């Protein structure tokens, strides 16, 4: 890896922060976050060390799926601001070294979108083929729907025309016919529009649904190549902005994820969330056994140099555990969400990490130490840096999308509006802003926020982590994950103990220059000498993480 390459392929050593404009900061006192409020908080993100701000949908919406039911792909929800406010946000972020990427949600539209309102007027309407229709209802069941608590089929009858339209999500979100060249043209036009306004890339929603070949009576299953079209989308954004990046939501097994990367050529998505690894982390936490995450890391496929894993422990949806077996999922439920009200769709949890861990900050720091030490790009969901909790009084997955907690004052500093007017109620009890807020933690060098700031700084000082290959080391301590990050001659050993008891481990790191040591880059422990074969015996406290750089004589641990 050359340092100059980190600018060309910037997403491989980025720190991504996901935020919802509506719940981040309210600048005008109406109880709803807005783009101007987000702009005023850019200094906060820069101080934390964030390099990429990912905005959840802020477009005009029918308001039935928290912004994911879009009525205009070229606009801004008037409650949140204007296109001018958006440009000011992008410009301000750029001045502080922060790129902005936006959610791209063109798998479907709202049923209130002008295209669909026109399409359902007649089977001969000009927009009819923008959507997927069938003259008779194709077979479908609950296993195919995304929201099984609300829908029992992915097909809905349109009473006026007597035909059925496809919707993988809610029936108010009809799927676009991405195989239609006219829709592809709309997709390119939309991507190009936001690129012209300064975005650095897109987080593409629902990739396996959008880039798929839907089969139904009368369809042509071989008429559309979704992988080739994904490559066309990648080519388009790169032609418009040479270093634009595509981050994809692809919750599939690793071999299928590699297909969406573009295979060995890497001409598809630039980044994908590692759902397999994330779920394995929770199973390891529940068992206090590193075996699940070690197994997942060993199964990660090798990627092209421009491709990257996005590492995360929590996102804006339910914490999905769908890739675990039924027995494994029940283990995680029992450990972190035993109450049925904490669970969702039978496959996930609607809680944030701090409450799942009972507020145990040692385990919290363990998890984030692990996330940032793994080869890949770390992704944070707003509020993770201060340990925000959820509000289970809010229905469904929205329980984790509560207003950001800035200080201990009224409404946690989110808004000056009366509490009843807030877009959503904040958590109470030990998770309330009185106990958990950014202002107090920024002033406390021992806080979770300060720990996160330090670990982000170390990650950015060692961009080799993002460019590394991962090697899981063998040893005889089941609770301990020992992995080696390798990038050319650069090496870092990361140790993470999932159990409460201390662990002793003997490791072989391979041949090292004479006089080499392991240097702690997080907590400043004394150097540990290595013999020429790289053998070492180490002690790791319970629920502790360590980052140890292999440093040769005269070498600096980090920039």
């Amino acid at each position: 890896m050359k340092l100059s390459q980190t600018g060309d392929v910037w997403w491989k050593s980025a720190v991504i922060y996901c935020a919802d404009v509506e719940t981040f900061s309210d600048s005008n006192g109406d109880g709803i976050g807005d783009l101007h409020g987000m702009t005023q908080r850019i200094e906060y993100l820069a101080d934390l060390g964030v390099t990429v701000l990912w905005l959840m949908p802020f477009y005009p919406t029918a308001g039935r799926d928290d912004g994911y039911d879009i009525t205009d792909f070229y606009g801004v929800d008037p409650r949140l601001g204007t296109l001018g406010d958006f440009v000011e946000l992008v410009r301000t972020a750029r001045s502080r070294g922060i790129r902005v990427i936006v959610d791209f949600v063109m798998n479907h539209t709202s049923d209130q979108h002008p295209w669909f309102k026109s399409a359902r007027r007649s089977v001969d309407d000009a927009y009819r083929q923008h959507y997927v229709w069938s003259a008779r209802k194709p077979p479908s069941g609950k296993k195919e729907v995304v929201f099984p608590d609300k829908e029992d089929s992915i097909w809905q009858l349109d009473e006026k025309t007597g035909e059925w339209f496809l919707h993988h999500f809610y029936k108010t979100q009809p799927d676009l016919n991405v195989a239609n060249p006219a829709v592809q043209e709309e997709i390119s036009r939309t991507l190009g529009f936001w690129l012209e306004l300064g975005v650095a890339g897109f987080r593409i929603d629902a990739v396996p649904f959008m880039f798929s070949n839907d089969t139904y009576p009368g369809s042509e299953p071989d008429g559309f190549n979704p992988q080739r079209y994904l490559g066309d989308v990648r080519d388009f954004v790169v032609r418009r902005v040479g270093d634009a990046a595509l981050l994809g939501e692809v919750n599939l097994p690793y071999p299928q994820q590699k297909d969406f990367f573009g295979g060995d050529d890497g001409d598809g998505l630039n980044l994908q969330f590692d759902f397999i690894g994330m779920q394995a982390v929770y199973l390891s936490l529940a068992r206090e056994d590193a075996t699940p995450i070690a197994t997942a890391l060993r199964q990660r496929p090798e990627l092209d140099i421009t491709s990257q894993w996005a590492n995360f422990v929590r996102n804006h949806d339910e914490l999905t555990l769908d890739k675990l077996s039924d027995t494994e999922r029940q283990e995680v439920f029992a450990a972190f969400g035993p109450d049925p009200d904490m669970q969702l769709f039978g496959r996930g949890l609607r809680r944030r990490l701090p409450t799942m861990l009972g507020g145990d900050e040692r385990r919290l720091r363990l998890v984030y130490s692990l996330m940032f030490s793994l080869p890949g790009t770390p992704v944070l969901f707003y509020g993770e840096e201060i340990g925000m909790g959820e509000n289970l009084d809010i229905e469904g997955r929205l329980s984790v999308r509560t207003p950001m907690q800035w200080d201990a004052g009224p409404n946690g500093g989110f808004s000056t509006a009366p509490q009843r007017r807030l877009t959503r109620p904040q958590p109470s009890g030990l998770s309330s802003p009185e106990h958990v807020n950014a202002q107090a933690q920024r002033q406390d060098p021992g806080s979770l926020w300060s720990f996160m700031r330090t670990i982000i700084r170390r990650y950015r000082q060692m961009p080799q982590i993002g460019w590394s290959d991962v090697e899981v080391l063998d040893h005889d301590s089941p609770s301990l994950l020992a992995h080696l990050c390798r990038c050319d001659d650069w090496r870092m050993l990361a140790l993470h103990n999932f159990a409460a008891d201390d662990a002793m481990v003997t490791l072989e790191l391979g041949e090292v220059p004479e006089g080499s040591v392991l240097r702690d880059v997080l907590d400043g422990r004394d150097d540990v000498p290595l013999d020429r074969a790289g053998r070492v015996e180490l002690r790791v406290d319970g629920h502790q993480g360590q980052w140890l750089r292999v440093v040769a004589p005269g070498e600096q641990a980090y920039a």
Side-chain angles (χ1 to χ4, degrees), residues 334-535:
F336 304 128
D339 187 332
D341 186 49
M342 299 172 177
Q343 302 165 19
L344 199 61
F345 308 138
R347 64 178 185 237
L349 291 165
R350 57 191 205 99
R351 309 190 73 194
R352 281 183 177 251
L353 181 63
T355 52
M356 285 191 276
L357 297 180
D360 186 341
E361 199 156 303
R362 292 181 310 154
R363 298 179 80 188
L364 270 176
R365 295 182 186 216
L366 169 77
V367 171
Y368 290 113
S369 171
L370 172 60
M371 184 182 84
F372 277 89
S373 74
L374 291 175
T377 298
V379 182
L380 291 170
F381 182 48
Y382 77 93
E384 279 191 275
E385 72 276 14
I386 59 172
M388 272 177 57
E390 73 281 349
N391 185 346
L392 292 174
D393 291 335
I394 302 172
E395 183 181 4
R397 52 173 58 179
L398 299 183
S399 61
V400 302
R401 304 182 196 175
T402 56
M404 179 66 181
Q405 299 172 195
W406 294 106
D407 57 44
N411 302 327
F414 164 72
S415 174
T416 58
Q419 191 176 65
R420 67 182 183 279
R421 292 181 60 194
L422 296 189
T423 185
R424 283 185 206 109
Q426 293 175 314
S428 58
L430 294 178
S431 295
S432 70
E434 181 182 357
H435 299 284
V436 179
N437 69 77
Q439 183 183 67
Q441 292 195 27
R442 292 178 79 182
Q443 297 171 357
D444 178 4
S447 69
L448 178 62
W449 188 92
S450 295
F451 169 79
M452 296 289 275
R453 186 172 185 261
T454 297
I455 211 164
I456 289 171
R457 185 186 302 119
R458 289 294 179 271
Y459 174 85
R460 292 184 60 185
Q461 288 172 320
M462 298 185 291
Q464 295 91 341
I465 295 175
W467 287 70
S468 290
D469 297 319
V470 63
E471 178 186 353
V472 178
L473 302 180
D474 293 322
H475 55 80
D476 56 3
S477 181
S479 69
L480 187 77
L481 176 69
H483 73 270
L484 197 62
C485 297
R486 292 179 180 268
C487 181
D488 302 325
D489 295 329
W490 184 95
R491 282 183 280 181
M492 185 184 83
L493 173 66
L495 304 171
H496 292 89
N497 184 0
F498 285 83
D501 295 331
D502 297 352
M504 292 292 297
V505 63
T506 301
L507 300 169
E508 291 193 15
L509 309 184
E511 187 175 347
V512 298
E514 186 172 354
S516 294
V517 298
L518 288 176
R519 182 160 298 157
D520 190 315
V521 296
L522 285 184
D523 297 316
R525 296 178 184 84
D526 293 339
D527 289 351
V528 179
L530 295 167
D531 65 21
R532 287 299 301 273
R535 284 186 291 262

Side-chain angles (χ1 to χ4, degrees), residues 12 234 258 263-267 302-308:
K12 293 195 70 167
R234 163 83 173 267
K258 184 160 185 180
D264 293 333
D265 295 333
D267 55 3
E302 185 176 348
L303 301 179
D304 170 84
I305 192 171
T306 65
S307 302
Q308 179 70 307

Side-chain angles (χ1 to χ4, degrees), residues 298-314:
R298 288 187 170 114
Q299 292 173 346
R300 268 186 174 184
E302 185 176 348
L303 301 179
D304 170 84
I305 192 171
T306 65
S307 302
Q308 179 70 307
W309 296 108
N311 298 319
F312 72 110
V313 297
R314 191 70 181 87

Side-chain angles (χ1 to χ4, degrees), residues 43-320:
E43 179 277 330
Y44 169 84
L45 299 179
D47 189 27
L48 183 61
V50 169
T51 65
V52 178
L53 172 59
W54 155 27
L55 297 180
M56 291 171 60
F58 52 85
Y59 315 102
T61 171
R64 297 174 185 171
D65 188 20
D66 199 31
Y68 285 87
D69 52 330
I70 296 169
T71 59
D72 178 7
F73 292 113
Y74 299 102
V76 171
D77 184 333
R79 301 174 306 149
L80 310 182
T82 66
L83 284 172
D85 294 329
F86 177 81
V87 171
E88 286 301 308
L89 170 61
V90 172
R91 182 176 177 82
T92 304
R94 185 185 296 143
S95 74
R96 299 305 306 271
I98 298 174
R99 291 176 168 90
V100 175
I101 65 174
V102 298
D103 251 339
F104 186 72
V105 192
M106 286 193 74
N107 171 72
H108 54 264
T109 70
S110 166
D111 63 357
Q112 299 304 303
H113 193 288
W115 297 344
F116 192 70
K117 291 170 82 171
S118 180
R120 69 195 318 178
R121 291 173 186 164
S122 164
V123 295
D124 300 318
D125 187 85
Y127 286 99
R128 186 72 173 184
Q129 298 310 312
H130 274 48
Y131 298 89
V132 182
W133 298 89
S134 177
R136 61 182 185 273
K137 185 179 181 180
S140 174
K142 279 210 169 190
K143 287 187 178 180
E144 298 172 285
V145 301
V146 174
F147 302 122
D149 64 329
K150 302 292 185 182
E151 307 288 350
D152 56 14
S153 171
I154 60 174
W155 294 93
Q156 178 67 26
L157 178 65
D158 179 59
E159 298 288 352
K160 183 171 183 179
T161 60
E163 291 193 342
W164 301 79
F165 63 84
L166 179 67
H167 64 93
H168 281 97
F169 294 82
Y170 294 115
K171 62 173 65 74
T172 55
Q173 295 167 299
D175 281 18
L176 282 165
N177 180 11
V178 179
N180 181 353
V183 173
Q184 295 176 16
E185 183 68 23
E186 296 284 4
I187 288 172
S188 295
R189 190 176 294 116
T190 304
L191 291 166
F193 176 83
W194 292 104
L195 289 169
E196 285 296 313
L197 292 186
V199 305
F202 302 90
R203 178 264 185 186
I204 303 182
D205 184 61
V207 170
F209 299 114
M210 181 174 176
F211 296 94
S212 65
N213 211 344
D214 296 308
T215 58
Y216 53 92
S219 66
E220 299 180 15
D222 298 324
F224 173 60
N225 186 324
Q227 300 295 339
R228 183 182 303 156
Y229 176 57
L230 176 56
D232 292 343
V233 170
R234 163 83 173 267
D235 290 343
F236 175 82
V237 298
V238 170
R239 285 198 306 272
R240 290 294 178 94
V241 177
D243 64 350
L246 301 177
L247 166 61
E249 179 192 34
V250 185
N251 183 13
L252 292 173
Y254 282 139
Q256 291 168 264
Q257 284 196 276
K258 184 160 185 180
D259 290 339
F260 281 105
F261 276 121
D264 293 333
D265 295 333
D267 55 3
L269 297 168
N270 301 101
L271 305 101
Q272 291 183 54
F273 295 103
D274 185 2
F275 282 93
I276 304 296
M278 176 275 291
Q279 296 178 50
V281 166
Y282 282 92
L283 185 58
S284 286
L285 285 168
R287 292 178 173 177
E288 297 197 339
D289 182 344
T291 304
I293 182 58
T295 301
L297 290 173
R298 288 187 170 114
Q299 292 173 346
R300 268 186 174 184
E302 185 176 348
L303 301 179
D304 170 84
I305 192 171
T306 65
S307 302
Q308 179 70 307
W309 296 108
N311 298 319
F312 72 110
V313 297
R314 191 70 181 87
N315 65 9
H316 58 290
D317 291 330
E318 77 278 4
L319 179 69
T320 184

